[in-house]
Amino acid sequence: MSDYYQSLSSRVQQRLQGRIGRCDVALGELTVEVPKAHLLEVCRVLRDEPEFACEQLIDLCGLDYSAYGNGGWSGPHYAVAYHLLSVHNNHRIRLKVFTDGEVPLVDSVVSIWSSANWYEREAFDLFGIVFEGHPDLRRILTDYGFVGHPFRKDFPVSGNVEMRYDPDKGRVVYQPVSIEPRDMIPRVIRHDHRYVTPEVPVAQGDK
């Protein structure tokens, strides 16, 4: 299978030369990095041309690279990964697009694969990535009054707001969280009998 994907990688690089970045095969999978400016063009080629024929988008997810490599990452803050499937050719291709900025922007691929609709809404909801051209970009998993994007690395574990029922107003209201934020640091056990090797008595005849 890896030989097939090495061949597929070569064909993708030859066809899309100058419009893609890295094109790597690892663990039997092909991953192609695509600059934002060429995303839609590359997607249409991979969908429409018979040797690729990626007629299905089976998954799309956001990524936060801010803590990648133990904080040694110096590239863009966010990325979007697209998992494409060709039923006709029985292969898969993963696209990765990096983005940055106060409001990270990526073109919507809903016009190419309609299945991207709810996936892009999920990535917007959880990571705050805005997909330009999406027909109805709004939250899909969190509440309408939710503040922030919970899959970002800098999002507090306790959240920003909590809700409660207000009997005076007769409805649910939002308020700042009332619990103190905590740093969840694992306890390191330095002295524990489970890790101490017991001394074995030496028989007199063994000395």
Side-chain angles (χ1 to χ4, degrees), residues 197-201:
T197 304
E199 293 185 5
V200 178

Side-chain angles (χ1 to χ4, degrees), residues 5 8 25 28 56 64 87 91 100 119 125 129-130 132 139-140 156 164 166 171 182 185 191 194 206:
Y5 277 101
L8 180 61
V25 177
Q56 291 188 20
D64 184 342
V87 176
H91 64 227
D100 218 337
Y119 292 140
D125 192 356
I129 300 171
V130 174
E132 293 190 289
R139 292 186 182 272
I140 190 172
R164 63 175 177 83
D166 189 321
R171 61 179 175 85
R182 294 184 299 168
I185 302 175
H191 301 289
R194 292 173 296 176
D206 293 338

Side-chain angles (χ1 to χ4, degrees), residues 111-183:
S111 62
I112 301 174
W113 296 288
S114 59
S115 61
N117 192 320
W118 283 16
Y119 292 140
E120 290 182 349
R121 285 180 59 187
E122 180 182 29
F124 162 70
D125 192 356
L126 300 180
F127 291 92
I129 300 171
V130 174
F131 294 87
E132 293 190 289
H134 190 284
D136 185 23
L137 192 64
R138 54 193 167 94
R139 292 186 182 272
I140 190 172
L141 294 176
T142 59
D143 197 348
Y144 291 114
F146 195 86
V147 177
H149 304 283
F151 276 18
R152 289 187 173 185
K153 300 294 186 183
D154 58 359
F155 187 82
V157 174
S158 58
N160 294 308
V161 297
E162 63 185 20
M163 63 180 183
R164 63 175 177 83
Y165 180 76
D166 189 321
D168 296 329
K169 297 181 178 179
R171 61 179 175 85
V172 170
V173 297
Y174 289 89
Q175 63 186 30
V177 291
S178 57
I179 60 176
E180 291 290 330
R182 294 184 299 168
D183 293 327

Side-chain angles (χ1 to χ4, degrees), residues 56-98:
Q56 291 188 20
L57 171 71
I58 59 175
D59 192 24
L60 179 158
C61 62
L63 301 163
D64 184 342
Y65 273 82
S66 60
Y68 184 73
N70 293 323
W73 175 257
S74 59
H77 197 136
Y78 301 102
V80 181
Y82 306 78
H83 297 264
L84 312 180
L85 170 66
S86 171
V87 176
H88 180 77
N89 294 320
N90 191 27
H91 64 227
R92 299 175 185 233
I93 298 176
R94 178 192 297 113
L95 302 182
K96 188 181 293 184
V97 177
F98 286 95

Side-chain angles (χ1 to χ4, degrees), residues 102-113:
E102 185 175 347
V103 179
L105 301 173
V106 176
D107 285 326
S108 171
V109 299
V110 170
S111 62
I112 301 174
W113 296 288

